[in-house]
Amino acid sequence: MKCDVLILGGGAAGLAAAVASARRGARTVLIERHGALGGMATAALVHSVCGLYFLREEPGAVFAHGGLPREFAQRLIAAGASPGAVRMGRLDVLPHSPPIFAAVADQLALECAGLEVLLHTELIAVEGTPQVERVEVCCRGRRMTLEPRVCIDASGDGALATLSQCTTDQAPPERLQRPAFIFALQGALVAQLNDEGRVRLACRIAEAVRAGELDAGCLGSSFRASGRGSEVYVTTDLAAPDFDPTDPRQLTALESEGRRLALHLLDFLRREQTAFADAAISAFPARVGIRESRRIRGRATVTAEDVLRGTDSPEVVALGTWPMEGRERHTGARWRFPEGNRPTQIPLGALRAADADNLWMAGRCLSSDHEAQAALRVIGTCLATGEAAGSAAALQASDGCAPGAEAVRQLTQVYEPCAAMSSN
């Protein structure tokens, strides 16, 4: 099977890459191992899209991109999946319903005539270096070989890059961002979970952990009403010493531990909190939420200094607009905001593998250092880098050579980093 562009991973980055590629006329194939598109937003129940809007001191959410990130947000709102942007402290986020997110992603993909989506499909082999020539995938024991002109790794783990022997980086276990286990409850008295109520609940959980009444793994658990009846999402960051997000045994242990902690925490809440007296678990995630895994070495690398200073880059093709959200410990976030709320300018070279001529990347495995990745991994930025990588790949498939940043910018509608921060 031949195609112009092959994308591995149907999360936000892969979806945006596939749609951008197909809309530019490329015959595009999107490979996804789960039964739905959306990645962390659907499989892991990450129920807010972060990184869509500029960082601003004043209220009023302002989109950072005029292309697919904005379009997808508007589709979510139109589908009833989201009430629109919500202010949380200094940040604007877009809450959403994970099931409807998946349905909106389906519709967006179906509208692209040149796009074929293969769900329940895993990558098993890659041939060719420094040019990816063949990719072998498998679905339920049925193998298929594809011959793409250009590839995009949006797997989150750099899986395609690893099998093609490209250089990747991974933080040591003690520095990796902790994974999150998110589950849904029904039957909660959400009126009691206002800001004051959540603070009281966090304090009570901390007291119970210190007293030995509650497992220490529940420390730092956060609660957010979805806005849909009595539904509440609970997020628990998992402690994972010596964690390797590519090790099957450790991933298996994490999934089991997440479910155990959820049941343990719910039992405590039912006994201790009137808001949860009649609550029940209504959904476990299809997979634990991995925040950091392999990062693919690119032809440019976004650093922590680039994020904190908002370094200007003439090669910018996408913007990152989320602060560094360090989750190296399971007890909460460590925040670092950029100077003057400046966006991170992501250069085209950070989306192109250093060791392969026809391999691009998007999403959390783009080329960055560990601290910069803590700002760039969020769904809004994944949509933006996915659109940029998909546009670049389609241009390369058509022209036979990699495009420059200006050609990609003309397709992705990246707003000027400073001019658009005060108006929409």
Side-chain angles (χ1 to χ4, degrees), residues 216-270:
C218 299
L219 194 64
S221 295
S222 62
F223 300 79
R224 186 181 302 171
S226 72
R228 295 180 292 275
S230 64
E231 183 180 59
V232 172
Y233 284 111
V234 185
T235 301
T236 300
D237 288 353
L238 301 177
D242 301 321
F243 175 53
D244 182 348
T246 66
D247 183 286
R249 292 183 177 85
Q250 294 190 34
L251 288 171
T252 299
L254 269 184
E255 301 283 3
S256 176
E257 175 66 1
R259 289 186 284 270
R260 184 192 71 82
L261 283 175
L263 291 169
H264 175 63
L265 179 59
L266 177 59
D267 181 64
F268 170 82
L269 293 172
R270 282 172 169 167

Side-chain angles (χ1 to χ4, degrees), residues 34 36-49 94-102 180-185 222 224 226 228 231-236 255 259 262 281-291 379:
H34 290 296
L37 299 173
M40 294 294 99
T42 53
L45 300 183
V46 177
H47 45 279
S48 294
V49 180
L94 187 75
H96 70 88
S97 163
I100 305 180
F101 188 110
F181 190 87
I182 304 173
F183 61 99
L185 295 175
S222 62
R224 186 181 302 171
S226 72
R228 295 180 292 275
E231 183 180 59
V232 172
Y233 284 111
V234 185
T235 301
T236 300
E255 301 283 3
R259 289 186 284 270
I281 292 174
S282 56
F284 277 143
R287 60 164 300 180
V288 71
I290 300 297
R291 292 190 172 102
I379 294 171

Side-chain angles (χ1 to χ4, degrees), residues 296-307:
I296 303 168
R297 190 82 59 86
R299 304 185 183 209
T301 299
V302 183
T303 67
E305 183 177 6
D306 293 331
V307 175

Side-chain angles (χ1 to χ4, degrees), residues 52-54 61-66 69-70 73-74 77 415 420 423-424:
L52 282 173
Y53 309 103
F54 282 112
V62 176
F63 280 108
H65 297 80
R70 179 173 184 160
Q74 291 172 334
I77 295 168
Y415 290 139
S423 66
N424 213 1

Side-chain angles (χ1 to χ4, degrees), residues 4 76 90 121 182 208 212 231 239 241 244 264 274 355-356 371:
D4 293 323
L76 287 174
R90 296 173 59 181
T121 304
I182 304 173
E231 183 180 59
D244 182 348
H264 175 63
T274 57
D355 304 327
E371 290 187 302

Side-chain angles (χ1 to χ4, degrees), residues 57-342:
E57 297 298 331
E58 60 271 28
V62 176
F63 280 108
H65 297 80
L68 270 171
R70 179 173 184 160
E71 178 186 344
F72 195 78
Q74 291 172 334
R75 283 175 176 252
L76 287 174
I77 295 168
S82 174
V86 172
R87 188 77 166 180
M88 298 182 62
R90 296 173 59 181
L91 301 168
D92 294 299
V93 303
L94 187 75
H96 70 88
S97 163
I100 305 180
F101 188 110
V104 171
D106 284 340
Q107 185 59 41
L108 186 60
L110 286 169
E111 292 172 7
C112 297
L115 172 60
E116 181 173 8
V117 177
L118 300 177
L119 301 178
H120 298 287
T121 304
E122 291 268 9
L123 174 71
I124 57 175
V126 178
E127 296 180 21
T129 181
Q131 181 104 350
V132 177
E133 297 174 355
R134 281 173 294 280
V135 172
E136 188 173 3
V137 298
C138 183
C139 175
R140 305 294 192 269
R142 180 175 180 173
R143 297 188 177 200
M144 178 186 298
T145 299
L146 300 102
E147 295 182 355
R149 292 183 179 181
V150 186
C151 295
I152 300 173
D153 191 332
S155 65
D157 300 299
L160 199 158
T162 299
L163 287 178
S164 60
Q165 301 181 32
C166 290
T167 305
T168 61
D169 298 299
Q170 184 171 311
E174 66 274 10
R175 297 199 68 205
L176 273 175
Q177 308 295 340
R178 297 297 91 185
F181 190 87
I182 304 173
F183 61 99
L185 295 175
Q186 289 285 356
L189 301 178
V190 295
Q192 297 185 29
L193 295 176
N194 55 19
D195 290 346
E196 182 180 350
R198 290 198 304 272
V199 170
R200 287 199 303 269
L201 180 55
C203 291
R204 178 63 191 115
I205 287 174
E207 290 174 359
V209 169
R210 286 194 296 270
E213 303 169 16
L214 193 59
D215 193 298
C218 299
L219 194 64
S221 295
S222 62
F223 300 79
R224 186 181 302 171
S226 72
R228 295 180 292 275
S230 64
E231 183 180 59
V232 172
Y233 284 111
V234 185
T235 301
T236 300
D237 288 353
L238 301 177
D242 301 321
F243 175 53
D244 182 348
T246 66
D247 183 286
R249 292 183 177 85
Q250 294 190 34
L251 288 171
T252 299
L254 269 184
E255 301 283 3
S256 176
E257 175 66 1
R259 289 186 284 270
R260 184 192 71 82
L261 283 175
L263 291 169
H264 175 63
L265 179 59
L266 177 59
D267 181 64
F268 170 82
L269 293 172
R270 282 172 169 167
R271 288 185 283 106
E272 289 270 341
Q273 304 290 319
T274 57
F276 296 99
D278 298 317
I281 292 174
S282 56
F284 277 143
R287 60 164 300 180
V288 71
I290 300 297
R291 292 190 172 102
E292 183 180 10
S293 182
R294 301 186 190 100
R295 290 168 278 112
I296 303 168
R297 190 82 59 86
R299 304 185 183 209
T301 299
V302 183
T303 67
E305 183 177 6
D306 293 331
V307 175
L308 293 176
R309 294 190 177 183
T311 306
D312 289 330
S313 171
E315 299 296 305
V316 59
V317 293
L319 300 178
T321 57
W322 194 251
M324 288 185 191
E325 184 184 352
R327 295 274 182 174
E328 293 93 343
R329 297 176 295 179
H330 72 286
T331 51
R334 177 175 57 90
W335 297 93
R336 298 176 69 189
F337 283 76
E339 297 173 5
N341 288 332
R342 288 178 60 83

